[in-house]
C-alpha cells in the first residue's frame, strides 16, 4: 500500500486578498510564495525603467499603460496564479478591474533578487510564456545581464550586457539604452 503524502495547501483568492497589506506574496498553481523586500539596486533599476517605459508609452498616446510592483496580475483562476511583476506594460484595458490585471500583460520586466533567481529564470518564465505574455525581460544586476524572451513568431531568447541598447519587440521603435542605468549603478 502506497504511503500517504502530505498535499500542499491550496490558497484561495479570498485567502490571498485577506493577507496584510505589508505582506508581499505571489501564488503559483494555488501555492503561496512569500517575497522579500527589494534591494536598493533593485529599486534604482525599477525606478529608471519605470520612467523610460512611462515616457515612451505616454508619448504614443495609445491604450497601453505602465504598472509597477506591487500590482497584482491574475494569470489564472484555476489553478489560482497571481504574480506581481516588477514592471509591466498592459495594452488591453479590459483586463483591469480596479484591483488587478486579469490576464497576461503584453510586456513584463523582472529584476533578479539574489535570494531567488530561479523564480524569475525558471518559474516565472514558464508561467509568463504559458499564460500569454508577449515579451518577458529578466534584468540581472549581479551578472549585469538582460535576458529578452519574446514569445511571438520566432521565439527569441537573447542575453545582453548592461551596456547594450535593447529593442522592446512589442513595439517597432522602442529601444532602452541600459548603459544609462549601468552608469547610475556604478
Amino acid at each position: 500500500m502506497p504511503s500517504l503524502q502530505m498535499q500542499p495547501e491550496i490558497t484561495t483568492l479570498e485567502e490571498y486578498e485577506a493577507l496584510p497589506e505589508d505582506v508581499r506574496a505571489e501564488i503559483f498553481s494555488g501555492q503561496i510564495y512569500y517575497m522579500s523586500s527589494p534591494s536598493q539596486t533593485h529599486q534604482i533599476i525599477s525606478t529608471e525603467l519605470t520612467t523610460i517605459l512611462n515616457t515612451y508609452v505616454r508619448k504614443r498616446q495609445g491604450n497601453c499603460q505602465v504598472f509597477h510592483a506591487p500590482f497584482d496580475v491574475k494569470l489564472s483562476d484555476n489553478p489560482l496564479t497571481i504574480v506581481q511583476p516588477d514592471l509591466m506594460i498592459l495594452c488591453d484595458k479590459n483586463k483591469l478591474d480596479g484591483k488587478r490585471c486579469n490576464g497576461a500583460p503584453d510586456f513584463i520586466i523582472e529584476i533578479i533578487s539574489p535570494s531567488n533567481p530561479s523564480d524569475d529564470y525558471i518559474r516565472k518564465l514558464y508561467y509568463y510564456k504559458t499564460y500569454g505574455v508577449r515579451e518577458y525581460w529578466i534584468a540581472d544586476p549581479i551578472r549585469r545581464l538582460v535576458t529578452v524572451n519574446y514569445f511571438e513568431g520566432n521565439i527569441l531568447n537573447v542575453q545582453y550586457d548592461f551596456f547594450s541598447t535593447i529593442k522592446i519587440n512589442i513595439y517597432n521603435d522602442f529601444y532602452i539604452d541600459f548603459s544609462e542605468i549601468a552608469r547610475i549603478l556604478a
Side-chain angles (χ1 to χ4, degrees), residues 93-174:
K93 292 181 181 180
N94 291 322
K95 292 181 179 180
L96 297 170
D97 67 6
K99 288 166 71 172
R100 69 180 61 88
C101 171
N102 296 287
D106 296 272
F107 177 81
I108 289 177
I109 299 177
E110 293 286 4
I111 302 163
I112 294 290
S113 298
S115 61
N116 62 351
S118 64
D119 276 2
D120 296 322
Y121 281 112
I122 300 169
R123 185 190 333 259
K124 288 185 180 180
L125 175 68
Y126 168 78
Y127 281 93
Y128 292 162
K129 182 178 179 185
T130 300
Y131 287 105
V133 172
R134 295 171 58 200
E135 187 166 354
Y136 170 43
W137 287 20
I138 304 167
D140 187 337
I142 304 295
R143 296 171 49 212
R144 303 282 179 157
L145 294 173
V146 178
T147 303
V148 174
N149 299 281
Y150 183 57
F151 302 127
E152 294 186 331
N154 293 331
I155 294 175
L156 175 70
N157 176 279
V158 180
Q159 283 191 335
Y160 299 90
D161 65 33
F162 262 36
F163 298 97
S164 299
T165 298
I166 307 169
K167 182 180 188 313
I168 294 183
N169 294 287
I170 66 167
Y171 292 104
N172 292 328
D173 60 348
F174 191 5

Side-chain angles (χ1 to χ4, degrees), residues 8-184:
E9 188 174 324
I10 302 296
T11 303
T12 66
L13 181 59
E14 293 75 23
E15 291 168 330
Y16 176 77
E17 289 178 338
L19 290 172
E21 285 194 30
D22 63 338
V23 172
R24 298 190 67 226
E26 296 177 309
I27 300 174
F28 296 94
S29 297
Q31 302 303 307
I32 194 161
Y33 293 84
Y34 294 96
M35 300 183 295
S36 59
S37 295
S39 69
Q40 176 182 333
T41 299
H42 185 287
Q43 288 297 86
I44 291 169
I45 294 169
S46 179
T47 299
E48 293 301 314
L49 287 171
T50 299
T51 301
I52 293 166
L53 295 175
N54 212 29
T55 300
Y56 177 86
V57 168
R58 279 188 176 176
K59 282 182 184 175
R60 289 187 60 92
Q61 298 179 347
N63 291 325
C64 300
Q65 286 184 283
V66 176
F67 294 91
H68 59 85
F71 186 72
D72 288 346
V73 174
K74 185 169 59 166
L75 294 174
S76 173
D77 286 309
N78 191 13
L80 183 61
T81 301
I82 298 175
V83 294
Q84 290 186 353
D86 290 320
L87 295 158
M88 66 181 218
I89 297 174
L90 175 69
C91 298
D92 181 356
K93 292 181 181 180
N94 291 322
K95 292 181 179 180
L96 297 170
D97 67 6
K99 288 166 71 172
R100 69 180 61 88
C101 171
N102 296 287
D106 296 272
F107 177 81
I108 289 177
I109 299 177
E110 293 286 4
I111 302 163
I112 294 290
S113 298
S115 61
N116 62 351
S118 64
D119 276 2
D120 296 322
Y121 281 112
I122 300 169
R123 185 190 333 259
K124 288 185 180 180
L125 175 68
Y126 168 78
Y127 281 93
Y128 292 162
K129 182 178 179 185
T130 300
Y131 287 105
V133 172
R134 295 171 58 200
E135 187 166 354
Y136 170 43
W137 287 20
I138 304 167
D140 187 337
I142 304 295
R143 296 171 49 212
R144 303 282 179 157
L145 294 173
V146 178
T147 303
V148 174
N149 299 281
Y150 183 57
F151 302 127
E152 294 186 331
N154 293 331
I155 294 175
L156 175 70
N157 176 279
V158 180
Q159 283 191 335
Y160 299 90
D161 65 33
F162 262 36
F163 298 97
S164 299
T165 298
I166 307 169
K167 182 180 188 313
I168 294 183
N169 294 287
I170 66 167
Y171 292 104
N172 292 328
D173 60 348
F174 191 5
Y175 296 83
I176 294 179
D177 182 356
F178 258 82
S179 65
E180 294 176 22
I181 296 169
R183 277 193 290 278
I184 293 169

